[in-house]
């Protein structure tokens, strides 16, 4: 018997704005629905992984337990920037791999409201300049020594790729957003479900060129959850339950290896490439085997470089890949058929769980209008700046 | 009165925006370079992030550079003038630096691969009259 870990149940709230609820409500809903989806209860769980970024110090796992069932199991409250959700999953995955648990619940949640632009501090007028911090800065440097804002940082990641390779520019980045907005119209759980023309996308207000407003993910609220189970325990479940289970063929988390430019610009490439190489090796699959990919398109410029980082295109060929329709839902490797972060939304802690929900739903053949027919293998990818990269490869259960 | 209290406090006329900017007659950037592997760091490090050794020496960073990446920032936190050209430049001695491209009459004139040269400028004065000196890169 293999020691594989499987997804038994999964759920997500629609991403959006929930001013009438709090993060505990959102997480509880996702958790209860994921348990019900797997045909189990909180009393079957041996471990809990709880992910949130902005409420990381509030004991989120324990707060959710008080809503859905306090059974005394270990709770790991985790935070890892935008890779928080994937880290929560991996925490439960490792507990099962280690033999400490047979079943566990992982969730990610965030309630951001209309938080607006992330990072980049407001300019303060210093009364007296005084060196502070590791760089001995006498004032805020955002806007003076480059940008610290997320749309700008990720714009630069895309423009560096454009510097190195032909055929990549504003239009290719815009086409990524065009695709994801179009995909989201089929996803009832997406925060936005509106298609935009290329002209509308390229003509929307520029945030950080080349990223316009419609090329940036929104802030929002939402939660997602998964129930994981050991292979041994799964085999004791009813046949119908086993048929819907999805195998986690690889679960990988990486951080930044040293690169020369890493001290001045987050390197979203190297740790993704390392994670992908390791995940493909563990799963015994290659990028050509993937039927769908949910990757971290916090900005259109980010998605494009990850085509290359994940091996979905030839080296340097990300521009040609999007231009030829490769990542569209009817293309060679559909990417972000959920609408991606750009249109499905990006409640940060929830994202790395929600993309596992999405791929699992397709592998089960239960994705409704947005179903990728015959999907057997899928990959999820998230990046948290700092950095952390989480990749999961999921496979449909053998019939 | 203590000796310290009678000492006149010297107020600097200029301060660099960050410690790795050296100002004066010959403004330039300085990096802490690992004596073993030559990895460069603008902040202080307990050990080298590349090789783990603990000895560093201060080195001058080249003034000439190439524009590796940029973004024209139109949306920023309150109080930060926009638009501006945020950039990642690669100096001729192979050091990546984050700074603005300055001096362009139109930000859309920024071009990947363009040649740049290090420059300094004033970016504000505090209540003591001390001038804050920042750096950027201008078209060469």
């Amino acid at each position: 018997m293999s020691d594989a870990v499987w997804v038994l149940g999964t759920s997500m709230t629609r991403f959006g704005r929930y001013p009438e609820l709090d993060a505990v409500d959102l997480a509880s809903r996702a958790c209860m629905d994921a348990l019900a989806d797997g045909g189990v209860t909180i009393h079957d769980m041996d471990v809990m992984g709880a992910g949130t970024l902005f409420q990381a110090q509030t004991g989120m796992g324990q707060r959710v337990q008080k809503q859905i069932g306090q059974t005394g199991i270990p709770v790991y409250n985790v935070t890892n920037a935008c890779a928080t959700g994937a880290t929560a999953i991996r925490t439960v995955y490792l507990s099962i791999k280690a033999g400490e648990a047979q079943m566990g619940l992982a969730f990610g949640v965030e309630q951001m409201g209309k938080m607006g632009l992330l990072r980049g501090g407001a300019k303060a007028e210093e009364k007296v300049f005084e060196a502070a911090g590791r760089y001995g800065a006498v004032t805020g440097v955002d806007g003076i020594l480059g940008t610290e804002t997320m749309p700008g940082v990720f714009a630069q990641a895309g423009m560096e790729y454009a510097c190195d390779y032909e055929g990549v520019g504003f239009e290719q980045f815009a086409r990524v957003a065009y695709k994801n907005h179009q995909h989201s119209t089929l996803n009832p759980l997406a925060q936005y479900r509106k298609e935009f023309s290329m002209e509308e996308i390229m003509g929307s207000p520029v945030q950080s060129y080349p990223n316009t407003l419609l090329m940036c993910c929104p802030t929002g609220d939402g939660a997602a959850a998964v129930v994981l189970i050991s292979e041994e325990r799964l085999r004791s479940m009813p046949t119908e339950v086993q048929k819907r289970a999805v195998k986690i063929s690889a679960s990988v988390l990486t951080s930044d290896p040293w690169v020369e430019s890493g001290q001045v610009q987050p390197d979203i490439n190297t740790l993704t490439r390392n994670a992908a190489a390791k995940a493909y090796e563990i799963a015994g699959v290659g990028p050509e085997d993937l039927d769908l990919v949910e990757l971290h398109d916090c900005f259109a410029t980010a998605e494009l470089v990850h085509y290359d980082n994940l091996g979905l295109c030839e080296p340097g060929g990300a521009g040609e890949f999007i231009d030829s329709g490769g990542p569209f839902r009817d293309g060679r490797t559909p990417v972000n058929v959920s609408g991606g972060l750009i249109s499905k939304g990006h409640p940060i802690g929830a994202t790395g769980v929600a993309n596992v929900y999405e791929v699992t739903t397709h592998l089960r053949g239960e994705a409704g209008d947005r179903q990728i027919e015959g999907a057997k293998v899928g990959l999820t990818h998230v990046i948290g700046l700092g950095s952390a990269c989480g990749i999961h490869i999921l496979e449909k259960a053998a019939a | 009165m203590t000796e310290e209290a009678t000492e006149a406090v010297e107020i600097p006329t200029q301060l660099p925006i960050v410690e790795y900017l050296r100002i004066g007659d010959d403004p330039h950037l300085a990096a802490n370079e690992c004596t073993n592997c030559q990895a460069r760091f603008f902040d202080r490090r307990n050990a080298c992030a590349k090789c783990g050794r603990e000895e560093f020496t201060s080195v001058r960073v080249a003034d000439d550079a190439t524009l590796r990446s940029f973004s024209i920032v139109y949306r920023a936190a309150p109080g930060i003038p926009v638009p501006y050209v945020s950039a990642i430049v690669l100096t001729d001695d192979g050091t990546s630096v984050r700074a603005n491209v300055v001096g362009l009459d139109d930000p859309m004139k920024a071009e990947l691969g363009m040649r740049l040269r290090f420059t300094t400028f004033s970016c504000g004065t505090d209540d003591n009259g001390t001038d804050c000196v920042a750096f950027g890169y201008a078209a060469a």
Side-chain angles (χ1 to χ4, degrees):
Chain A
M1 183 173 292
S2 96
D3 63 350
V5 176
W6 295 69
V7 177
L8 183 71
T10 185
S11 180
M12 67 177 278
T13 67
R14 183 178 178 182
F15 286 174
R17 314 267 184 219
Y18 294 95
E20 75 284 8
L21 301 176
D22 64 18
V24 176
D25 292 323
L26 292 168
S28 298
R29 284 187 179 189
C31 287
M32 289 190 289
D33 288 348
L35 290 164
D37 180 58
V40 290
T41 76
I42 190 71
H43 296 273
D44 297 308
M45 299 299 108
D46 303 316
V47 62
M48 174 185 272
T52 174
L53 180 61
F54 292 109
Q55 297 188 39
Q57 294 177 355
T58 67
M60 183 59 74
Q62 288 85 344
R63 292 166 72 203
V64 169
Q65 284 184 318
K66 290 178 175 72
Q67 300 296 317
I68 69 171
Q70 292 176 256
T71 58
I73 58 173
V75 171
Y76 298 95
N77 291 300
V78 302
T79 182
N80 219 351
C82 297
T84 291
T87 306
I89 291 178
R90 188 160 162 71
T91 304
V92 170
Y93 173 92
L94 288 174
S95 294
I96 294 172
K97 276 280 190 186
E100 282 202 2
Q102 289 283 302
M103 264 197 266
L105 175 64
F107 71 86
V109 64
E110 214 69 67
Q111 192 167 40
M112 303 169 76
K114 293 190 175 182
M115 206 172 231
L117 186 71
L118 297 190
R119 299 283 282 273
K123 181 99 178 82
E125 292 301 325
E126 280 72 21
K127 294 288 181 195
V128 175
F129 292 137
E130 200 171 346
R134 297 193 74 83
Y135 294 94
V138 300
T139 184
V141 301
D142 182 40
I144 302 172
L145 303 183
T147 185
E148 294 176 350
T149 63
M150 291 295 101
V153 166
F154 281 94
Q156 287 172 176
M159 290 294 276
E160 186 174 29
Y161 190 84
C163 185
D164 289 337
Y165 300 107
E166 296 288 319
V168 177
F170 188 28
E171 193 175 326
Q172 283 66 43
F173 295 127
R175 190 161 288 120
V176 169
Y178 170 77
K179 169 181 71 71
N180 291 352
H181 286 294
Q182 187 183 67
H183 285 172
S184 73
T185 62
L186 298 174
N187 185 0
L189 299 174
Q191 184 165 346
Y192 296 106
R193 302 184 66 194
K194 189 176 174 193
E195 189 168 355
F196 295 93
S197 67
M198 283 289 284
E199 291 70 30
E200 286 174 310
I201 290 165
M202 295 173 82
S204 70
V206 180
Q207 306 296 290
S208 276
Y209 178 87
N211 284 323
T212 68
L213 186 63
L214 289 172
M215 294 157 73
C216 302
C217 68
T219 59
D221 312 332
V226 292
V227 175
L228 304 188
I229 187 169
S230 68
E231 169 114 7
E232 182 185 5
R233 184 75 176 83
L234 178 66
R235 296 303 164 217
S236 71
M237 303 290 278
T239 309
E240 287 310 304
V241 172
Q242 291 193 40
K243 277 186 179 169
R244 289 181 73 244
V246 164
K247 184 179 173 185
I248 300 180
S249 299
S251 171
V252 174
L253 190 68
T254 56
S255 64
D256 287 327
W258 179 88
V259 295
E260 189 283 321
S261 63
Q263 66 164 335
V264 295
Q265 159 89 343
D267 170 24
I268 64 172
N269 303 315
T270 313
L271 79 170
T272 294
R273 287 171 178 269
N274 289 353
K278 193 170 176 185
Y280 291 140
E281 185 189 342
I282 293 169
V285 303
E288 66 283 359
D289 299 315
L290 302 175
D291 297 307
L292 76 159
V293 171
E294 289 286 307
L295 63 74
H296 205 73
D297 61 320
C298 45
F299 299 91
T301 44
E303 174 163 324
L304 195 101
V305 303
H306 292 315
Y307 297 153
D308 204 325
N309 292 331
L310 296 174
L312 307 183
C313 63
E314 295 298 314
E320 192 275 334
F321 185 60
I322 183 75
D323 282 344
S324 66
F328 283 72
R329 53 176 292 112
D330 58 354
R332 191 172 81 217
T333 310
V335 174
N336 289 330
V337 295
S338 66
L341 281 57
I342 286 176
S343 195
K344 180 180 70 175
H346 184 27
I348 291 176
T351 293
V353 184
N355 60 18
V356 169
Y357 165 85
E358 181 68 16
V359 170
T360 297
T361 303
H362 285 271
L363 299 183
R364 287 168 159 181
E366 298 174 358
D369 291 343
R370 69 186 188 287
Q371 176 68 40
I372 296 300
E373 290 305 326
K376 291 187 174 62
V377 186
L379 179 147
T380 68
H381 160 265
V382 284
I383 283 261
L385 280 195
S387 301
C389 174
I391 286 183
H392 287 94
I393 293 178
L394 304 168
E395 285 187 70
K396 182 184 177 69
Chain B
M1 287 177 85
T2 64
E3 198 176 330
E4 287 81 5
T6 57
E7 227 172 64
V9 178
E10 192 179 331
I11 297 170
T13 55
Q14 287 190 321
L15 278 174
I17 186 167
V18 285
E19 279 174 359
Y20 61 91
L21 168 63
R22 301 297 153 81
I23 57 177
D25 295 339
D26 177 27
H28 63 274
L29 297 184
N32 297 314
E33 184 177 275
C34 173
T35 56
N36 179 56
C37 75
Q38 284 73 53
R40 290 180 170 186
F41 304 98
F42 286 126
D43 58 342
R44 66 180 193 276
R45 299 286 169 121
N46 291 278
C48 174
K50 184 181 182 189
C51 76
R53 299 280 277 270
E54 298 173 32
E55 290 81 38
F56 297 91
T57 184
S58 182
V59 295
R60 180 189 176 117
V61 175
D63 293 339
D64 293 316
T66 301
L67 184 58
R68 279 281 293 152
S69 183
F70 70 91
S71 176
I72 306 169
V73 179
Y74 284 85
R75 178 137 183 257
I80 293 173
V82 290
Y84 65 89
V85 181
S86 169
I88 302 297
V89 311
L90 186 64
T91 63
D92 286 1
D93 58 358
T95 307
S96 293
V97 181
R98 194 186 77 188
N100 288 357
V101 175
V102 298
L104 298 176
D105 53 16
D106 174 1
M108 287 305 282
K109 287 186 178 169
E111 269 185 54
L112 293 171
M114 72 189 287
R115 292 291 292 163
L116 300 164
R117 187 163 177 83
F118 178 83
T119 185
T120 58
F121 57 92
S122 169
C123 69
T125 305
D126 71 7
D127 287 353
N128 289 336
T130 302
D131 190 30
C132 176
V133 180
F135 67 90
Y137 290 83

